[in-house]
Amino acid sequence: MPLLDILFVAPPQRAFLGYIVLLSGLCWLSGLILRQRGVLGTAFGFMVWAAASTLALLVLRQFGASINWFIPLSALIAVIGGGVLRLALPAPQPQFGGRYSAMLIVIMLALVIWVLRMIQLDPSASLSSHHGWYPLYIEDSFQLGRFARIEDFAFGNGYLASIFFNLDLMGLSVLGKSLGVFSAWQAYSAASILAAILSIGVLAEGLARSRPALLAYAGLVLALLAFDFLYRTTLARNWGDALLFLPGAVMLVTMTREDDLRTRALWTAAAAIFMVVGRHYGAFYAGMIMLVGYGLVWSHQKRWDLTPWVVIGLLLVVLSVRDIACFLVPPSPYYPGSKLIDVAAPPKNLLLQGTLNDLGILTDGVLARFWVDWRNIYLLAGIGLIVFWLRNRYLGKAWLALGLAPFGLVLLPQLLQYLTLYRSSPPYSKAALISLHMFSWYPAYVLAHTRWSPPWRTGRCRAALTVLLVMAGVGGVVLVRQGQKAGLDFGKGPNAVLEAAFDRYRQHNVDLNIAERMRVELTPEQFDEVVDRPILYLHYEPGLALRNFIGGHLICDLDFWGPTVHQAMAEVSSLREVVARLGYPSIYFSFPDPGLYSRYYPEIWSRFATEVLGLHDADWIEHKIVYGKVVLLVPRRPADAAPPACAAFSTNHRP
């Protein structure tokens, strides 16, 4: 396949690119309403449309209204929301200089992100359960004609249902699907790609006046994509939570622009309110940023006017209304998360280890060699900034405060962590993604803030050539480094290397490979019969994306850790009877440890663990589909057994 086809022209790539272009234009227009241009304006427009489409989804779902109202309602909310923000926010000062070099950097980094994203074309719940949930929820909702609610799902309001409350890019994914030319997965993936590109591009644009800073930033982005798992997975592999890292990037720009303090504070607060669309704790972040921002404006400028702050606060309340209701009357033990905190809260020593990982002092719990790693260079840059100020006191304390202000985003997740005493994983925390870009951007910002320049002078053409050469060199190192780690042979040419990279990622996509094994090992009639059955999930990440490749309806599937299955367990004495009562669903062991979630239901697991672990050899299993350590078991259904009924659908769709 020609290189252009692999990267841009083949059907999936063409669909991603098409929605990115359409969505970018829409977001750019919304940015103009806010009087912001360039990448920053497009990024603000993206957040406005993400919030507007999410609100439209929530309203229509609450009232059970037709999904056909989604586009006009989203557009109405986006226009009203953008207009309200325009009235509340002061006009930003125009930023001049360096746009040629900045746009060159943005384009080249966007191409790098694009190539890395194109390697993983298919949804992979091995990476994120959202790859299964978003497209399958949206496709089922469109077949229903309305947005599905928890009570529509056969699995009930259990552990799996907690994913129902995650929104992030759900609204923009529905928007793409509503246009009628993109699938839900294509829309979701395209929106995620655009969010990553905008987050990197807005920071490059903010450094436009300093070519040394631009070069440093580009080099650090490429180095972190090559060597840092968290940075690469978030930006180059669609890990989710775009409405955390994108507002984080925008806030880094707005809080350090050459505007007066009040303008910087208000625009930063405006960007912060969109984080609640990504995660419910985004409301906490936004509230803290607003309090600190107003406090600084009041103490330094004695400006008492509360009007714009009240307007932004009211917008935050509107965006948070679903989460406020959930806090007052929790819809599930797993959302907002009381059971997670009670059962899965880590010991305090792991909280400290997690903090050190978030700050970049540790990587996966290990101290870097010589104590310096790509992700903690920003800390050295902060120390360097303080030393520079100590030697140049005439710059004043305000200059130092401006230079250190971005560390506020680093500290907010730690404040949240120690207030709740909860952290999902010691090596990383998604709550810290708001400061993800500090690793790559802050050292470059220090160069710009101190107005450092190399000892030589260059004209525009020579500077552009320098940018190209350095970027090409570092980019080549990144590609070779990642390719060698993946076992790729660069001697065979770029087409072969990309095809080999595609195959490598497909090999790690267990849901995709189980689907392919089903097509090989089952007859077409058997395949269709298995698709028509519900799937009983014991694990979701991987696992939840299987129906992206075989068809059927997630809405009809079952959760081993959910109330529907537990009710059946209470009425019988053996797992075989449970399976019969549930309509003989296929049992999906998508993760080597089937009892990973057992800590939430120890009594259930202790009762059925022996039978679950022995299912692979049970005589009532008709088909066993195996890929590596992943197994799909299909029980033998008696000839007189009624086919499983799905309350929501009478027929299944095929991919």
Side-chain angles (χ1 to χ4, degrees), residues 7 34 49 201 240 265 348 365 392 398 480 540 628 649 655:
L7 292 179
L34 297 175
W49 272 97
K348 291 184 179 180
N392 299 272
V480 171
Y540 326 127
F649 299 105

Side-chain angles (χ1 to χ4, degrees), residues 34-182:
L34 297 175
R35 294 168 295 188
Q36 293 281 11
R37 298 179 180 274
V39 183
L40 181 60
T42 307
F44 260 106
F46 184 97
M47 295 188 294
V48 167
W49 272 97
S53 56
T54 297
L55 283 177
L57 185 156
L58 292 174
V59 169
L60 295 176
R61 184 161 70 189
Q62 180 65 31
F63 293 101
S66 170
I67 210 166
N68 294 328
W69 285 105
F70 179 78
I71 287 182
L73 184 57
S74 297
L76 178 63
I77 296 173
V79 171
I80 293 174
V84 170
L85 277 176
R86 179 188 175 100
L87 294 174
L89 294 171
Q93 295 181 11
Q95 306 290 308
F96 300 103
R99 287 194 175 274
Y100 177 81
S101 298
M103 286 302 101
L104 187 63
I105 293 288
V106 170
I107 291 170
M108 296 188 72
L109 291 178
L111 286 174
V112 171
I113 293 294
W114 177 266
V115 171
L116 292 174
R117 284 295 187 96
M118 289 305 100
I119 292 173
Q120 186 174 303
L121 290 173
D122 303 305
S124 173
S126 301
L127 177 64
S128 172
S129 56
H130 297 166
H131 289 206
W133 172 251
Y134 278 47
L136 293 174
Y137 172 84
I138 293 169
E139 297 290 355
D140 279 357
S141 292
F142 269 82
Q143 291 200 39
L144 280 174
R146 59 176 175 80
F147 290 109
R149 305 173 69 166
I150 286 183
E151 51 266 31
D152 293 312
F153 287 85
F155 51 68
N157 193 8
Y159 189 46
L160 175 56
S162 61
I163 198 173
F164 176 87
F165 300 98
N166 182 273
L167 294 169
D168 198 44
L169 296 178
M170 178 72 84
L172 290 178
S173 304
V174 176
L175 184 64
K177 172 67 177 176
S178 299
L179 297 175
V181 293
F182 307 108

Side-chain angles (χ1 to χ4, degrees), residues 444-585:
Y445 168 69
V446 169
L447 293 181
H449 194 50
T450 57
R451 301 188 184 278
W452 181 86
S453 60
W456 64 87
R457 301 281 182 179
T458 59
R460 173 178 291 187
C461 294
R462 292 173 62 190
L465 180 61
T466 302
V467 169
L468 285 171
L469 292 175
V470 172
M471 289 285 289
V474 178
V477 171
V478 170
L479 290 174
V480 171
R481 165 78 177 182
Q482 290 302 306
Q484 289 175 341
K485 288 172 65 177
L488 302 179
D489 184 359
F490 284 87
K492 294 182 178 180
N495 291 27
V497 169
L498 285 173
E499 291 285 2
F502 292 157
D503 289 339
R504 180 176 176 82
Y505 274 91
R506 291 189 190 106
Q507 291 169 14
H508 287 83
N509 190 338
V510 298
D511 295 332
L512 169 64
N513 283 283
I514 284 290
E516 291 181 350
R517 295 308 308 162
M518 287 175 62
R519 288 187 168 87
V520 170
E521 298 181 19
L522 302 176
T523 66
E525 293 77 15
Q526 290 172 333
F527 180 89
D528 289 342
E529 195 272 336
V530 172
V531 170
D532 289 340
R533 298 189 189 203
I535 297 174
L536 176 59
Y537 301 98
L538 284 91
H539 194 81
Y540 326 127
E541 201 176 63
L544 207 57
L546 179 59
R547 288 208 181 273
N548 281 305
F549 308 109
I550 66 171
H553 297 288
L554 177 66
I555 206 169
C556 304
D557 289 340
L558 300 165
D559 175 18
F560 185 87
W561 312 102
T564 305
V565 175
H566 293 175
Q567 181 179 350
M569 289 175 173
E571 298 170 352
V572 298
S573 58
S574 70
L575 186 61
R576 182 173 185 173
E577 292 175 291
V578 172
V579 170
R581 183 156 298 215
L582 294 172
Y584 298 93

